[in-house]
């Protein structure tokens, strides 16, 4: 492993390591490649939300492997989902846990906003950086799409074995080879992206839950047209999380096939008990007992 580090891990902002963060239940003989890259190292115009991107892949996967882009929930770190992302890599994907501008959350801002389009404008701005009507603002450099594009360009220069340029022919993202996913706010971002772009697959963990007060009506964008067809949508939620019924209603409105939805139900492990007022909401990406469901949701990269 030291040889791999010396050969490829040439910059302080990117490093390779062993599988210490991986579950032994889902690992095999192949040593995965792990990388950590700060967003500011990929684009000098990125200064905030600079926790490292988390990248993992099996070096034995083919050059045709699809890319999973996993967006953390509000105030989350990409490395928090290392167990899940390691398993996804074992399904033949290259995987990026992407750091992005994740606060404030849509749920903090839009439910009581008088505009039904608040959530759509919010997500459009965060993802593409081009919505002047949003109640929040970020630079184009800080948009999710720019952060992903700049990271892929960086990896193309510094990790030639990863075949990262294949996801961005002619300098633009090839959405047909990209799977979008995430928990909570990250799932809402993934769902919005899948509405706008025809992605290879979308996997939602406990969101979107964009709604309007006091009616609890879902945000209109959820029922809008989708560039990604229904058969590519997969989702889950925990039956004991606070907004389980709202999330279930959102999945039905999105048109996700019922047999593509999993309802998680494990009790909280001791380490997660007493964490916040909605602990089941974030547990579904952390508990190794959900590995069979994770495998179903992501499937195998073609």
């Amino acid at each position: 492993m030291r040889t791999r580090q010396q050969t490829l891990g040439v910059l302080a902002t990117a490093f390779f390591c062993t599988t210490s963060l991986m579950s032994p239940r889902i690992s095999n003989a192949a040593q995965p490649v792990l990388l950590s890259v700060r967003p500011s190292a990929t684009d000098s115009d990125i200064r905030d939300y600079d926790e490292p991107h988390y990248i993992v892949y099996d070096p034995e996967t083919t050059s045709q492997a699809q890319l999973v882009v996993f967006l953390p929930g509000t105030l989350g770190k990409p490395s928090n989902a290392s167990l899940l992302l390691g398993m996804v890599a074992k399904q033949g994907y290259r995987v990026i846990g992407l750091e992005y501008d994740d606060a404030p959350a849509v749920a903090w801002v839009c439910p009581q906003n008088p505009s039904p389009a608040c959530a759509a404008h919010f997500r459009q701005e965060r993802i593409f950086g081009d919505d002047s009507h949003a109640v929040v603002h970020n630079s184009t450099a800080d948009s999710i799409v720019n952060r992903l594009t700049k990271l892929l360009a960086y990896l193309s220069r510094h990790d030639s074995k990863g075949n990262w340029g294949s996801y961005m022919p002619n300098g633009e993202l090839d959405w047909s080879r990209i799977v979008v996913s995430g928990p909570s706010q990250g799932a809402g971002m993934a769902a919005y992206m899948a509405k706008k772009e025809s992605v290879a697959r979308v996997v939602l963990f406990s969101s979107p839950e964009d709604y309007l007060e006091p009616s609890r009506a879902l945000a209109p964008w959820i029922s809008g047209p989708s560039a990604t067809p229904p058969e590519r949508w997969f989702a889950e939620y925990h039956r004991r999380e606070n907004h389980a019924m709202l999330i279930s209603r959102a999945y039905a409105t999105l048109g996700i096939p019922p047999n593509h939805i999993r309802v998680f139900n494990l009790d909280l492990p001791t380490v997660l008990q007493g964490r916040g007022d909605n602990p089941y909401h974030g547990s579904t990406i952390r508990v190794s007992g959900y590995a069979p469901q994770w495998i179903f949701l992501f499937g195998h990269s073609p």
Side-chain angles (χ1 to χ4, degrees), residues 47-250:
R47 300 179 180 87
D48 300 317
Y49 296 91
D50 202 30
E51 287 291 332
H53 301 305
Y54 183 89
I55 302 103
V56 57
Y57 68 95
D58 186 331
E60 296 181 358
T61 56
T62 71
S63 61
Q64 300 305 309
Q66 292 179 347
L67 172 66
V68 171
V69 178
F70 189 85
L71 300 162
T74 305
L75 301 178
K77 298 179 181 180
S79 61
N80 288 348
S82 59
L83 179 65
L84 168 62
L85 300 187
M87 187 227 69
V88 174
K90 291 301 179 184
Q91 299 302 103
Y93 293 102
R94 285 179 172 80
V95 182
I96 290 174
L98 195 80
E99 169 77 350
Y100 69 101
D101 185 348
D102 60 6
V106 175
W108 301 357
V109 174
C110 288
Q112 298 183 33
N113 188 286
S115 171
C118 176
H121 289 310
F122 187 114
R123 295 195 185 279
Q124 180 75 23
E125 175 71 357
R126 285 288 190 249
I127 295 167
F128 300 102
D130 62 0
D131 196 320
S132 61
H133 299 290
V135 296
V136 295
H137 296 287
N138 51 262
S139 66
T140 302
D142 268 326
S143 69
I144 289 171
V145 166
N146 181 70
R147 283 171 174 252
L148 176 58
T149 300
K150 294 299 174 62
L151 175 59
L152 289 172
Y154 179 96
L155 292 172
S156 295
R157 295 192 301 271
H158 299 295
D159 180 27
S160 59
K161 291 185 178 180
N163 199 42
W164 301 104
S166 67
Y167 304 113
M168 203 171 58
N170 303 316
E172 295 185 358
L173 296 172
D174 181 359
W175 293 103
S176 70
R177 298 190 58 217
I178 296 174
V179 177
V180 291
S181 182
S184 195
Q185 181 176 191
M189 296 300 180
Y192 190 89
M193 292 164 77
K195 285 275 193 174
K196 296 296 183 180
E197 304 288 349
S198 181
V199 298
R201 194 181 188 101
V202 54
V203 182
L204 308 178
F205 288 84
S206 299
S207 205
E209 49 186 329
D210 298 1
Y211 66 95
L212 311 175
E213 290 283 16
S215 67
R216 302 285 287 182
L218 293 170
W221 75 263
I222 295 176
S223 60
S226 174
T228 304
E231 63 268 20
R232 299 183 198 164
W233 289 73
F234 293 79
E236 71 74 44
Y237 64 94
H238 197 290
R239 66 180 179 86
R240 282 179 277 181
E241 61 181 287
N242 294 352
H243 291 166
M245 295 306 297
L246 181 68
I247 295 166
S248 176
R249 185 153 51 94

Side-chain angles (χ1 to χ4, degrees), residues 16-51:
F16 291 79
C17 59
T18 62
T19 57
S20 61
L21 295 177
M22 309 290 284
S23 165
R25 298 192 188 116
I26 59 175
S27 63
N28 59 27
Q31 291 290 322
V33 175
L34 300 180
L35 290 156
S36 180
V37 181
R38 288 195 178 276
S40 58
T42 71
D43 185 341
S44 61
D45 289 331
I46 297 175
R47 300 179 180 87
D48 300 317
Y49 296 91
D50 202 30
E51 287 291 332

